[in-house]
Amino acid sequence: MLPSPLAASQTAPEPSAIPDAADRRRGGSAALGARRGAPEGPDDARPSDPSVVAAGGCYAWPLPADATCASEARTAFRAAATSLGLARDLVHDGVTMASELAANTLHARDNIQFDATAPGAVAGGPELWIYLRWAGGGWELACKVFDSMRGWRGGRAPQPTDTVPDALSGRGLQVVDGLSGGRWGHHLTRSRFGCWKVPGKVVWFALPVPDEAVPARLRGAGTAPASAARALERMLARRGFGEGLLRVEDHGATMSVLSVRYGITLWCQGAEVRWLAWEGYRHHPLADVEEVAKQVVAVCEEIDDGRPVAEPGPLFE
Ligand SMILES: Nc1ncnc2c1ncn2[C@@H]1O[C@H](COP(=O)(O)OP(=O)(O)OP(=O)(O)O)[C@@H](O)[C@H]1O
Ligand SMILES: [Mg+2]
């Protein structure tokens, strides 16, 4: 079990390449290009290597939309967590939680619009994302499982307290809640794989990571504002936001500003990325671009879902 949770955050990935049967089944770039005459996809359309996490990137893996998804998630999580050198107990807890979240994608399987089990399905199947992120007081390993159902079976998000003591099912999220010390949640997002980015949600948990397991690239203050802004631009373009992106640098390259869309602007300056969300400004270390990109995608999805854009308050003036 973990100590009590940090403040729950609604958050979320960067890869290399190993296309295989899973890639073809899930509609990686090669499969899509062949079937649909679509152009070769960006990097996100290919699974990455688990060791990318220890280098500060996001390990993204398409999960099968059948009962084998849990065992694939267990293998993938173990590989990523082991590459970071995490303690065995922590790895074991993480494997159990990844397994539960992956198994739960079966609840979302019959989403009519994007039935990943349909013959020739090319987008919208479950995905696993694992990466390091900064969460206020320290670094943690975030594990997210994507499915293409924006809502929940049963109409509302389940609570761990929903389960009655002698129930035979409905225990998976209770296990996740217990093993993560409450450090789990869900948010809207869109898929990484496939030739178009399918709207859906992720359910995630996070585990604390000791500083020594965090790569120097993330811990150090060596990231320049301009390179953080360029990385964010690249990541958001891959998630389908390319058309609205506008990046500007000041003359001395001490500040880089990335406009994503109306109401969402990322200021990379000094040692941080700052941007306005509903609760006020969010601040991240410059190297925490994986997390910033995922939060921006989540906020855009919420706005597309009808939530009003955050308006600048007096802080801005
Ligand atoms: N990814 C998901 N998409 C849609 N609904 C979900 C998802 N995950 C969970 N649910 C809903 O939340 C309920 C509780 O999930 P939980 O994992 O705790 O129990 P379970 O999957 O029903 O049973 P168990 O995990 O014990 O085998 C599910 O029964 C389902 O209705
Ligand atoms: Mg379950």
Side-chain angles (χ1 to χ4, degrees):
M1 290 272 187
L2 293 171
S4 1
L6 305 164
S9 90
Q10 298 292 303
T11 54
E14 197 92 327
S16 52
I18 323 175
D20 66 350
D23 187 28
R24 288 191 295 281
R25 182 175 61 234
R26 284 273 300 102
S29 54
L32 293 171
R35 278 199 216 115
R36 298 221 158 182
E40 185 75 1
D43 291 356
D44 271 14
R46 292 174 168 232
S48 57
D49 187 288
S51 62
V52 77
V53 177
C58 178
Y59 175 36
W61 190 256
L63 293 171
D66 59 35
T68 63
C69 59
S71 75
E72 258 193 53
R74 287 194 294 273
T75 307
F77 185 87
R78 182 174 288 110
T82 306
S83 77
L84 279 176
L86 295 191
R88 279 180 58 176
D89 281 3
L90 216 52
V91 175
H92 183 75
D93 287 353
V95 165
T96 305
M97 291 189 277
S99 183
E100 291 295 338
L101 297 191
N104 276 357
T105 63
L106 299 180
H107 292 301
R109 194 167 51 161
D110 55 349
N111 177 358
I112 296 164
Q113 251 185 314
F114 296 105
D115 180 358
T117 59
V122 293
E127 302 178 8
L128 178 72
W129 309 338
I130 304 173
Y131 65 103
L132 289 166
R133 70 181 181 190
W134 176 255
W139 291 91
E140 60 182 20
L141 183 64
C143 175
K144 302 193 165 189
V145 176
F146 169 86
D147 66 60
S148 66
M149 180 185 265
R150 272 168 103 76
W152 295 87
R153 185 134 325 272
R156 68 173 178 90
Q159 305 294 322
T161 47
D162 284 351
T163 314
V164 293
D166 54 352
L168 294 176
S169 67
R171 301 214 165 269
L173 291 174
Q174 209 175 43
V175 168
V176 172
D177 186 56
L179 291 180
S180 69
R183 188 81 185 124
W184 70 283
H186 51 86
H187 62 78
L188 296 180
T189 189
R190 49 174 75 174
S191 64
R192 295 173 63 96
F193 294 106
C195 81
W196 68 88
K197 305 305 172 196
V198 175
K201 68 174 177 303
V202 289
V203 188
W204 60 267
F205 68 86
L207 292 173
V209 172
D211 275 0
E212 57 275 16
V214 176
R217 183 168 86 70
L218 292 184
R219 272 184 290 133
T223 309
S227 59
R230 276 197 299 272
L232 285 164
E233 183 179 30
R234 222 169 30 243
M235 289 174 184
L236 291 167
R238 285 179 190 150
R239 304 297 292 282
F241 293 93
E243 278 182 12
L245 297 173
L246 179 65
R247 182 170 50 83
V248 182
E249 270 159 37
D250 72 346
H251 189 58
T254 57
M255 178 169 73
S256 242
V257 182
L258 181 65
S259 170
V260 180
R261 51 150 70 168
Y262 172 71
I264 302 198
T265 304
L266 308 175
W267 304 81
C268 303
Q269 188 175 21
E272 67 169 25
V273 184
R274 174 174 49 101
W275 61 292
L276 183 68
W278 299 286
E279 75 285 2
Y281 281 92
R282 294 185 187 179
H283 301 262
H284 304 257
L286 273 183
D288 196 22
V289 287
E290 287 288 349
E291 175 64 9
V292 175
K294 287 168 183 70
Q295 289 195 17
V296 167
V297 173
V299 166
C300 289
E301 289 297 319
E302 285 212 34
I303 292 168
D304 289 349
D305 219 43
R307 193 166 173 183
V309 172
E311 294 297 341
L315 252 177
F316 194 78
E317 284 144 22

